[in-house]
Amino acid sequence: MTIDNLEYNTEREYLIIPEYGRHIQKMISYAKTRETKEERNKVAKAIIAVMGNMQPHLRDVPDFQHKLWDQLFMMSNFELDADSPYEKPTKELFESRPEPLKYPQNFPKYRFYGNNIKTMIDVANTWESGDLKEALTYTIANHMKKCFLNWNKDTVEDDVIYGHLYELSGGKINLKNSEEDLSDATSLMRNKTKFTNKKGGHHKKNSSNRQRKRF
């Protein structure tokens, strides 16, 4: 037995959609060689029928036939001159790339504040001066301080928060000369400590219940 005539996949034609296998690819190559469009149309419809039988789960998908015809032209490298019941896809359409998405964080320098803080600041900038805007401004500042403490695990001066708020608001919110202090670090982190202790106690209670059940 000779092995000189064996074919390796690396030497064969590239499979554009491998899921359909090499036989479908060969059938499409055969269709491209037919001289008349009538023959090419006949072979193309036969190929579509075989492709549909290979993927019966697609029959419940809307525009199932449209998808098969698009895949047929893709596997022909858009070189098959045959009539389609749908608009023929183009190579440029499939090779075009979407525009890159913009990174949502406009101020990566202060990522520990999160994107919602910037949204709240933008809303505050649209409000007219008054008690409501002042209350919202100090609420934002206190939340910024809490976010900073979560990240820093230490302490922070109010002036630092005021400076960041001034920068993030584009200079429209200025609390640098404010005589009112923000909430102290202990008060801001108290809720987090209670939650942590409660969670730990709940876990311990379940553990003891499991021990009693064992005995």
Side-chain angles (χ1 to χ4, degrees), residues 121 124-126 133 165-175:
I121 292 173
N125 283 336
T126 63
K133 182 173 182 179
L165 180 58
Y166 181 82
E167 181 180 348
L168 293 175
S169 66
K172 295 180 180 180
I173 299 179
N174 188 359
L175 299 179

Side-chain angles (χ1 to χ4, degrees), residues 34-42 81-83 88:
R34 298 299 86 198
E35 296 181 357
T36 65
K37 177 170 282 192
E38 183 180 356
E39 289 183 285
R40 292 192 295 270
N41 289 340
K42 184 177 180 180
D81 183 16
D83 295 328
K88 291 184 181 180

Side-chain angles (χ1 to χ4, degrees), residues 65-117:
Q65 287 288 329
H66 193 173
K67 181 176 181 179
L68 291 182
W69 278 97
D70 284 348
Q71 290 177 335
L72 174 67
F73 288 110
M74 288 174 61
M75 286 187 287
S76 71
N77 200 23
F78 306 96
E79 296 173 353
L80 177 61
D81 183 16
D83 295 328
S84 170
Y86 310 96
E87 183 179 356
K88 291 184 181 180
T90 61
K91 190 173 184 179
E92 292 74 20
L93 176 64
F94 284 91
E95 291 182 347
S96 61
R97 295 184 178 183
E99 295 182 1
L101 295 176
K102 295 181 179 180
Y103 191 64
Q105 176 59 272
N106 295 325
F107 294 90
K109 181 180 178 181
Y110 306 123
R111 290 181 181 176
F112 46 86
Y113 288 134
N115 290 325
N116 290 334
I117 283 291

Side-chain angles (χ1 to χ4, degrees), residues 101-214:
L101 295 176
K102 295 181 179 180
Y103 191 64
Q105 176 59 272
N106 295 325
F107 294 90
K109 181 180 178 181
Y110 306 123
R111 290 181 181 176
F112 46 86
Y113 288 134
N115 290 325
N116 290 334
I117 283 291
K118 186 62 174 65
T119 303
M120 294 169 66
I121 292 173
D122 292 339
V123 171
N125 283 336
T126 63
W127 287 18
E128 295 181 0
S129 299
D131 293 339
L132 288 177
K133 182 173 182 179
E134 183 178 357
L136 176 60
T137 300
Y138 278 99
T139 299
I140 294 172
N142 277 310
H143 189 67
M144 289 173 64
K145 185 173 182 178
K146 184 176 181 180
C147 292
F148 191 101
L149 292 171
N150 283 331
W151 166 73
N152 195 45
K153 304 294 184 182
D154 194 2
T155 185
V156 58
E157 298 293 334
D158 291 352
D159 290 341
V160 175
I161 301 299
Y162 293 156
H164 292 172
L165 180 58
Y166 181 82
E167 181 180 348
L168 293 175
S169 66
K172 295 180 180 180
I173 299 179
N174 188 359
L175 299 179
K176 294 181 180 180
N177 298 324
S178 175
E179 297 180 356
E180 185 174 346
D181 295 330
L182 299 177
S183 301
D184 60 272
T186 304
S187 176
L188 289 172
M189 304 304 290
R190 185 179 300 160
N191 292 334
K192 181 180 179 181
T193 304
K194 287 183 178 180
F195 176 77
T196 303
N197 292 338
K198 184 178 179 181
K199 185 177 180 180
H202 181 69
H203 176 73
K204 185 176 180 180
K205 183 177 179 181
N206 287 341
S207 178
S208 61
N209 287 339
R210 288 197 298 267
Q211 291 293 339
R212 286 197 294 270
K213 288 180 180 180
R214 290 179 181 177

